[in-house]
Amino acid sequence: MRQSESISSLIKVANRLAKNYEKEATAPENAPKVRIAVLSNFSIQHFTKILRYSLDKAGLRSEIYEGEYGGINMDILDDSSPLYKFAPEIVLLLMRHTDVEVESAEEEIKSLGILWDKLSGIPGVTIFQSNFPCPIERPLGTLESQYTWSSLSLFREINFLLTKNHPSNVKILDLEYLSAYVGKERWFDYTAYYLTKQGFSMDYLMDTADEVTRMVLPMYGMTNKCLCLDLDNTLWDGIVGEDGPLGINLDPNDPIGEAYRAFQGYVKALSKRGVILAINSKNDEANAKEAFEKNPGMVLSLGDISCFRANWEDKASNMSYIARHLNIGMDSIVFFDDNPAEREIIRTYCPGVTVIDVPNEPENFIKALDQSGAFEWSAVSPEDLKRTETYKANEEREALANLAVNYEDYLKALEMRGSCRAVEEAELPRFAQLINKSNQFNLRTVRYKEAEIESMMQDKNFACLAVNLQDRFSEYGLISCIVLKSGKEAEALGFDNTDIFIDTWCMSCRVLKRGVEDFAFIRVFEEARARGAKRIIGEYIPTKKNGMVAGFYAKLGFRPMKDPLNKDDAFARILYSYEVAERAQPGFRGWIERL
Amino acid sequence: MSREEIFERITRIFREEFDDESLVIVDETNAGDIEDWDSLAHVELVLSMEKEFGLKFNIKEVGELANVGEMADLIMRKLA
């Protein structure tokens, strides 16, 4: 069990929160408010309260719709059901094996598909579909795995098909994994099922709710991007400054050395999926790097590390340096250090950083990091899988920058090529990911779910533009998103229906200062002209993190504009406009060649 | 554990569940006597008792209970 508190005390806390939500909630008042509907054929009254508690702990406010007992189909298939009035952003379908009434996995997926289709009529909805913990009873005994027609094989196949065939607005809640993790013999509680129709043992209500919360967080931009590691006794056994690069223990024939190597292997796997790696260590830089270069037991190489900070400064200052250098916020960094004193320093002086409680035994490092759920993303995109490569190419790029006489020459020498065009279906997950992850280069910080973007793509009053970039060193993929509103969508915001409103403009900070924004603006201008627009209107909504784009529209040649809706300055939006008719196409094309 | 002691602990659980420090529980008390004693509260009471006394009830045992007195007797039997 991951949750160590007893369920009866958790229920008491959750009940208290449910009774007096406004007073008891700890998530900030301005935190995103998640509207989530929970539908199930078993009893969920306790689950919904626990879920609200779990979301609150994670910093999210929520409103929860609780489906009728035994009423999944009723709630979904009846157009007049209160579910549709509730207008959820997320619908969670919590199921168990007893919900499966058909004989084949294909039929089950088909009948779930009918429910998903119907639910997808809710604008912007994301569906969390649980898979099915395989039951532990085996009518065929040890032969259950011998035949594809056995009951065990049926549930395994359904679970596999769910993973394989779910549409992009359906995310799978992996209860099969969770039940296996805690032990199925404990997960299934027949007494609770027959007595009060609990779908699984109440002991795991919190674990299940936390799993849902982990899926919700990245939808609201709450994700970590970087793993920041200590070196001595974290990545290897020993102290490189004293033991020397060959004296530290990473011996595959030694139990401790093997455990450290396994941990490095896990970290390497994180890096391969797009987690940025950084080092924050008290060491001489040369000594520390020597271990990477010379010790044959090292699994990680210097090329895996995007920012290497080894010196005698305090770790909090190094952490700020790392955040600045990588262009990411402190609150997207995860810190892993075997030394509790250093962890305490980071907790105190770098409050946004996620600090992992590192156990004393190296053999449990992987489990601590893995079960922390620190790297929950809404998707893994091709860009993520290429990220480390990009950071490596950065070094070569820096070398080039040192050669170039001035910045302009440098940009020219990069031989950048790019495109800015309507986002394609296949790019949707990455488009959504970038919109939800970008905090710094983000003009309005509006978050959209995949499903919402999909409906905007179909709507002629919207244009969703994706910018892709490559240079001589690497292929960045999709690095900037722009969403434009025109016609009645612009009108709804108080503008003319001949205006184009820039609803979203965000960009990955990996490609700052490359002229990507000038390049993309040409396309925005063309789009405006093609739509017969008279003005392009941009808005800047300041947040704690997006100060870098405060002067963005002014730099592009926009002029400050009065808010047509709010004459009162205190409530007025920060608006800028660009007259399309008066001006010729922006002449400056930058150094990016159009693909 | 004596029946008095069990009853004392049960009373504490009831007072906590219904958030009422003056609640008096007797052998004959049943769901009809306490306004908030609904099916949800019932689940919570059973969970709290299981945790308090470190035991698990089965469906027959729970189904047969008519009042708090029988609950105390059941716990006593199971602890014996």
Side-chain angles (χ1 to χ4, degrees):
Chain A
M1 186 152 94
R2 298 197 264 192
Q3 185 59 50
S4 51
E5 261 175 280
S6 87
I7 190 62
S8 49
S9 23
L10 286 167
I11 287 179
K12 281 188 186 111
V13 184
N15 276 345
R16 215 176 305 138
L17 176 69
K19 257 185 213 138
N20 199 347
Y21 189 76
E22 289 312 316
K23 215 179 123 231
E24 299 277 337
T26 57
E29 252 171 79
N30 59 354
K33 193 161 199 174
V34 190
R35 298 177 65 78
I36 174 163
V38 183
L39 309 183
S40 177
N41 289 332
F42 48 83
S43 147
I44 47 169
Q45 292 104 318
H46 285 108
F47 175 75
T48 52
K49 286 183 196 165
I50 293 266
L51 176 60
R52 213 167 183 212
Y53 169 55
S54 168
L55 289 165
D56 181 61
K57 265 198 317 171
L60 287 169
R61 298 239 156 185
S62 63
E63 235 172 278
I64 299 189
Y65 171 90
E66 193 176 285
E68 283 293 319
Y69 168 70
I72 292 189
N73 289 344
M74 211 163 66
D75 250 328
I76 297 179
L77 300 176
D78 175 7
D79 286 320
S80 64
S81 129
L83 168 69
Y84 295 104
K85 277 186 213 86
F86 177 73
E89 292 165 301
I90 298 168
V91 177
L92 167 60
L93 299 174
L94 218 44
M95 298 189 180
R96 75 198 294 274
H97 63 283
T98 46
D99 289 318
V100 175
E101 285 164 350
V102 294
E103 301 287 312
S104 82
E106 285 81 12
E107 274 176 81
E108 178 59 24
I109 301 296
K110 221 161 109 190
S111 64
L112 291 175
I114 294 171
L115 301 180
W116 300 339
D117 277 350
K118 187 78 201 332
L119 286 172
S120 298
I122 304 170
V125 80
T126 302
I127 298 161
F128 287 1
Q129 170 70 54
S130 83
N131 61 10
F132 299 85
C134 297
I136 45 178
E137 53 273 12
R138 304 191 292 180
L140 293 182
T142 55
L143 295 178
E144 285 282 337
S145 278
Q146 208 73 246
Y147 301 107
T148 54
W149 50 264
S150 72
S151 127
L152 185 61
S153 296
L154 172 67
F155 290 108
R156 284 182 174 160
E157 194 181 353
I158 293 175
N159 289 341
F160 180 69
L161 287 185
L162 277 174
T163 298
K164 199 173 158 204
N165 296 339
H166 64 92
S168 69
N169 70 329
V170 175
K171 313 263 173 201
I172 306 300
L173 169 65
D174 199 348
L175 291 186
E176 167 61 16
Y177 170 83
L178 194 59
S179 63
Y181 183 88
V182 303
K184 285 180 188 247
E185 197 263 334
R186 292 158 186 266
W187 175 266
F188 291 105
D189 180 342
Y190 292 95
T191 311
Y193 180 67
Y194 293 121
L195 268 180
T196 53
K197 290 289 169 290
Q198 304 298 328
F200 49 87
S201 163
M202 293 182 78
D203 285 343
Y204 306 114
L205 285 174
M206 191 73 204
D207 293 314
T208 306
D210 284 345
E211 192 81 358
V212 174
T213 298
R214 288 178 181 194
M215 292 166 70
V216 173
L217 285 172
M219 292 172 62
Y220 293 86
M222 295 156 100
T223 51
N224 291 313
K225 297 170 187 166
C226 168
L227 174 61
C228 181
L229 297 147
D230 168 53
L231 294 177
D232 294 330
N233 293 320
T234 296
L235 282 189
W236 53 68
D237 177 33
I239 296 168
V240 66
E242 290 169 13
D243 305 327
L246 297 175
I248 53 171
N249 180 8
L250 281 168
D251 182 353
N253 299 309
D254 175 86
I256 298 177
E258 203 183 357
Y260 277 103
R261 277 168 51 87
F263 180 59
Q264 287 198 17
Y266 180 82
V267 170
K268 187 141 186 148
L270 287 181
S271 135
K272 278 194 181 143
R273 63 164 270 199
V275 171
I276 306 166
L277 301 184
I279 298 294
N280 186 347
S281 159
K282 288 204 166 121
N283 256 312
D284 281 329
E285 189 176 330
N287 276 346
K289 286 193 168 163
E290 223 184 339
F292 280 79
E293 286 156 355
K294 293 194 177 151
N295 194 303
M298 284 293 293
V299 180
L300 291 166
S301 65
L302 281 177
D304 296 321
I305 312 294
S306 300
C307 184
F308 201 105
R309 265 321 245 185
N311 53 38
W312 300 99
E313 281 175 49
D314 65 280
K315 292 210 175 182
S317 316
N318 276 334
M319 197 64 100
S320 330
Y321 175 89
I322 289 167
R324 270 199 319 274
H325 182 81
L326 295 172
N327 269 320
I328 56 175
M330 283 272 213
D331 60 359
S332 53
I333 298 180
V334 177
F335 183 57
F336 196 101
D337 191 320
D338 70 296
N339 184 340
E342 299 289 7
R343 299 201 294 267
E344 202 42 47
I345 285 172
I346 297 298
R347 273 199 196 97
T348 313
Y349 296 104
C350 309
V353 173
T354 303
V355 178
I356 305 292
D357 288 315
V358 179
N360 291 326
E361 329 73 51
E363 67 268 39
N364 290 326
F365 282 6
I366 294 179
K367 188 177 171 191
L369 183 53
D370 191 85
Q371 293 300 317
S372 72
F375 294 104
E376 292 294 348
W377 295 354
S378 52
V380 176
S381 63
E383 283 75 7
D384 293 327
L385 299 177
K386 277 191 305 229
R387 178 153 310 124
T388 312
E389 200 184 303
T390 311
Y391 276 100
K392 248 188 279 178
N394 270 345
E395 283 170 26
E396 299 172 48
R397 224 169 270 121
E398 269 165 36
L400 178 72
N402 291 336
L403 287 177
V405 227
N406 60 38
Y407 199 67
E408 243 182 79
D409 286 344
Y410 165 63
L411 289 179
K412 274 184 222 158
L414 281 177
E415 296 166 17
M416 293 183 283
R417 292 169 302 276
S419 66
C420 178
R421 41 160 182 69
V423 62
E424 285 165 16
E425 190 75 31
E427 296 172 322
L428 192 57
R430 167 62 181 166
F431 197 81
Q433 184 194 40
L434 193 57
I435 282 188
N436 288 302
K437 280 204 330 191
S438 315
N439 294 315
Q440 301 183 89
F441 195 110
N442 197 337
L443 271 304
R444 295 180 73 243
T445 323
V446 184
R447 310 298 192 189
Y448 287 115
K449 293 174 205 73
E450 264 181 62
E452 291 172 297
I453 298 163
E454 217 169 358
S455 42
M456 293 192 292
M457 285 160 66
Q458 317 291 339
D459 190 328
K460 64 173 175 31
N461 292 310
F462 288 90
C464 301
L465 304 176
V467 185
N468 278 273
L469 185 72
Q470 61 190 64
D471 65 20
R472 61 188 270 201
F473 298 109
S474 51
E475 165 105 38
Y476 293 92
L478 201 166
I479 39 79
S480 180
C481 308
I482 298 168
V483 176
L484 305 174
K485 288 181 169 178
S486 62
K488 66 176 187 351
E489 289 295 332
E491 236 172 353
L493 297 164
F495 308 117
D496 300 338
N497 73 351
T498 51
D499 287 336
I500 292 270
F501 178 69
I502 304 172
D503 172 86
T504 293
W505 194 327
C506 64
M507 189 174 83
S508 160
C509 286
R510 287 181 298 147
V511 294
L512 281 178
K513 292 190 221 152
R514 298 285 189 82
V516 172
E517 48 276 43
D518 299 300
F519 173 74
F521 183 59
I522 298 168
R523 179 70 173 79
V524 171
F525 184 87
E526 288 169 359
E527 184 72 31
R529 193 175 264 176
R531 286 173 186 244
K534 296 214 173 77
R535 287 187 302 184
I536 303 169
I537 296 172
E539 182 187 11
Y540 169 60
I541 302 179
T543 68
K544 257 192 246 161
K545 297 190 174 164
N546 69 355
M548 69 158 66
V549 288
F552 176 72
Y553 285 119
K555 255 182 259 161
L556 278 181
F558 282 61
R559 295 185 191 122
M561 168 188 160
K562 283 235 180 305
D563 186 344
L565 289 184
N566 286 298
K567 306 285 182 240
D568 183 350
D569 280 350
F571 299 101
R573 294 171 287 181
I574 306 172
L575 297 174
Y576 296 86
S577 73
Y578 193 100
E579 303 286 337
V580 178
E582 276 177 26
R583 302 212 192 170
Q585 173 142 330
F588 179 70
R589 284 188 168 268
W591 289 274
I592 303 171
E593 188 192 324
R594 231 183 233 210
L595 275 173
Chain B
M1 203 180 297
S2 71
R3 195 169 188 282
E4 286 70 40
E5 204 182 318
I6 290 173
F7 218 86
E8 210 174 283
R9 291 199 192 187
I10 290 180
T11 303
R12 192 160 11 98
I13 288 171
F14 270 80
R15 287 181 174 170
E16 217 174 288
E17 174 67 34
F18 298 110
D19 210 7
D20 178 358
E21 274 310 305
S22 60
L23 192 64
V24 178
I25 301 293
V26 293
D27 275 355
E28 290 72 32
T29 306
N30 64 35
D33 301 325
I34 299 175
E35 207 195 325
D36 292 336
W37 190 343
D38 56 11
S39 62
L40 280 194
H42 194 77
V43 171
E44 289 164 22
L45 285 170
V46 170
L47 272 178
S48 300
M49 308 259 180
E50 287 184 335
K51 188 190 162 215
E52 176 74 30
F53 297 103
L55 41 80
K56 272 268 180 200
F57 301 113
N58 63 46
I59 54 176
K60 252 183 121 182
E61 290 164 345
V62 176
E64 282 165 357
L65 297 176
N67 57 38
V68 179
E70 289 185 14
M71 174 67 115
D73 292 338
L74 171 65
I75 291 169
M76 216 162 152
R77 268 204 313 281
K78 288 187 79 100
L79 287 178

